[in-house]
Amino acid sequence: MKRAIFLSVPTTVLALLSACGGDQQAGGSAKMGTPEYFWSGAKQTFSAKDYAKTNDHLTELIRTENPYRDRAVPWRLIVLSAMAKGYSELRENLEFGGRANRGAAFRRFMNDARQLASRNALEFAESFEKFEKAHTGKTVLLEFPFPSGNVGMPRELAVLAKGETPDQAKVDAGRKRSVEREVLLLTCHALGAGEDVAKAQQLLQGGKAEVPRETFMMAMASALYDHSKLFTPMKLNLPDRVEFFNTHSREALDSVPDSKERKALLAKLDTQLKEAKKLMGKK
C-alpha cells in the first residue's frame, strides 16, 4: 500500500530537516557515488548522530544490487523508525508545553513535528513491508557502530513540556536529543536487550551482530504499533492508516513465537483495530 506523504513542506519543517541533515560530506577515500562511498558515509554520519544524512546514504545503497544492500536495509529501518518516534516525542512534549503556555509558536512547531513524524513513520512502514517480503533468513544482520546516548527522557524535551516558549534553537535541541534516544532504544530492542544498554553494547561488539529473526521482528512489530498511535482520533485521526500499521505489526508477529510480550502486543492491536474499524464503518 503506497501513501502520498506531502505536496509541500512548511518553512519551519525545512529548518528542522536542515538541522537534521546538513551538508556534511562523508565517504572517506572511496570514490563519490559508489556503494563503498555511501556505506562509509553512513557509518561516519551515524557516529556523528546525523541520522537524516545516514538515512540518505542508506537509501542510496538500497536502490541497486551491491555488497552492502542487505546490511543497509535493517539498519535503515532502525534509523527511520527512530526518527519518526523522535519527532513524535518532540510533538507530544510541545503539546504539553502548549497547554501551559498557549503561544502560537507551540502550535506551529508541534504541527511541523507531527508532519515529519508522519512522513518518517509511513516511509518506515513501507520499507518494512518490502523487507518482510524479501527477507527469509533465520537471522538478521545488524552491522553499524553502537549508538551513543541516554535512554532517559532528554532534558531539552522537559524544558519544552514545562511551557517555556520555543524557538528554533530549543526545538532543534529537543529534536536532536529525542532522535538520539530513540535510535539507542530501538537498537537495544532490535538486539533483544530491552533497555539494557550495556547488554546491547556487548551484543553489538565490533559493530556486527547476527540477531534471530523473531527478535528483530518483535522490535519492528512494537515500533509499528507505536507509530500507529500517531494516526488515532486524538492525533491525526486517520483510521485507515491506523489499520495499515496495525496490519503490518500483526504480520511481523507471525514469525515471533508465543510469549507474554507477544500476547500483550496482540491484545493492544486487537483493541486498536476494533476502534479503527468502528470509525471506518467496518465490522
Side-chain angles (χ1 to χ4, degrees):
M1 182 186 298
K2 297 295 180 184
R3 302 283 183 184
I5 298 173
F6 291 110
L7 294 177
S8 62
V9 184
T11 302
T12 46
V13 175
L14 290 172
L16 284 170
L17 285 171
S18 177
C20 236
D23 293 319
Q24 179 178 353
Q25 295 296 317
S29 59
K31 183 179 179 181
M32 186 175 293
T34 63
E36 291 77 13
Y37 172 85
F38 291 121
W39 182 251
S40 177
K43 287 187 174 183
Q44 290 180 41
T45 53
F46 189 81
S47 294
K49 301 181 182 180
D50 188 348
Y51 298 120
K53 195 65 178 178
T54 301
N55 180 51
D56 290 344
H57 288 308
L58 295 174
T59 299
E60 291 297 330
L61 284 169
I62 67 173
R63 293 185 193 281
T64 61
E65 290 295 333
N66 61 76
Y68 304 100
R69 190 176 189 276
D70 290 344
R71 286 174 279 177
V73 172
W75 185 6
R76 182 170 176 267
L77 286 173
I78 289 174
V79 171
L80 277 172
S81 179
M83 287 197 298
K85 188 70 182 296
Y87 277 117
S88 186
E89 289 285 349
L90 173 62
R91 185 208 62 79
E92 287 185 7
N93 282 275
L94 284 165
E95 184 177 6
F96 294 148
R99 292 173 185 170
N101 179 350
R102 298 180 180 277
F106 279 96
R107 291 192 296 273
R108 185 177 74 253
F109 284 118
M110 186 176 72
N111 290 336
D112 294 341
R114 180 189 286 119
Q115 287 187 349
L116 288 165
S118 173
R119 188 180 74 173
N120 281 286
L122 287 167
E123 191 172 354
F124 163 69
E126 291 172 354
S127 298
F128 173 77
E129 185 177 22
K130 295 175 183 177
F131 167 81
E132 185 184 27
K133 291 177 180 178
H135 189 278
T136 57
K138 293 183 178 180
T139 62
V140 177
L141 177 62
L142 300 184
E143 187 174 346
F144 50 84
F146 190 80
S148 59
N150 194 308
V151 297
M153 184 58 66
R155 176 184 57 81
E156 292 82 355
L157 290 186
V159 169
L160 294 172
K162 289 178 181 178
E164 186 172 316
T165 302
D167 56 29
Q168 193 65 58
K170 291 174 186 174
V171 172
D172 286 345
R175 180 269 313 159
K176 187 174 188 296
R177 295 289 176 250
S178 184
V179 174
E180 287 172 8
R181 174 177 181 260
E182 295 305 329
V183 169
L184 177 60
L185 280 171
L186 188 51
T187 297
C188 290
H189 284 290
L191 288 162
E195 294 186 9
D196 188 334
V197 176
K199 179 180 178 181
Q201 193 165 13
Q202 186 174 10
L203 290 170
L204 197 60
Q205 193 171 20
K208 184 183 293 188
E210 288 278 356
V211 179
R213 177 182 172 85
E214 58 266 26
T215 299
F216 186 78
M217 296 301 264
M218 185 69 223
M220 295 299 102
S222 296
L224 286 159
Y225 171 69
D226 284 342
H227 296 316
S228 71
K229 291 183 282 187
L230 179 63
F231 304 98
T232 53
M234 295 299 290
K235 295 181 181 178
L236 289 174
N237 193 24
L238 296 169
D240 60 326
R241 289 187 179 178
V242 172
E243 185 180 35
F244 173 68
F245 280 86
N246 190 291
T247 297
H248 285 301
S249 182
R250 290 172 184 277
E251 289 173 352
L253 289 175
D254 285 344
S255 60
V256 178
D258 200 20
S259 66
K260 184 178 179 180
E261 184 182 11
R262 183 179 185 274
K263 287 179 179 177
L265 181 54
L266 279 172
K268 292 177 183 177
L269 290 167
D270 286 342
T271 300
Q272 183 190 66
L273 187 59
K274 287 178 183 177
E275 294 173 354
K277 285 186 174 180
K278 184 178 180 180
L279 288 170
M280 292 187 293
K282 294 182 178 180
K283 294 183 178 180

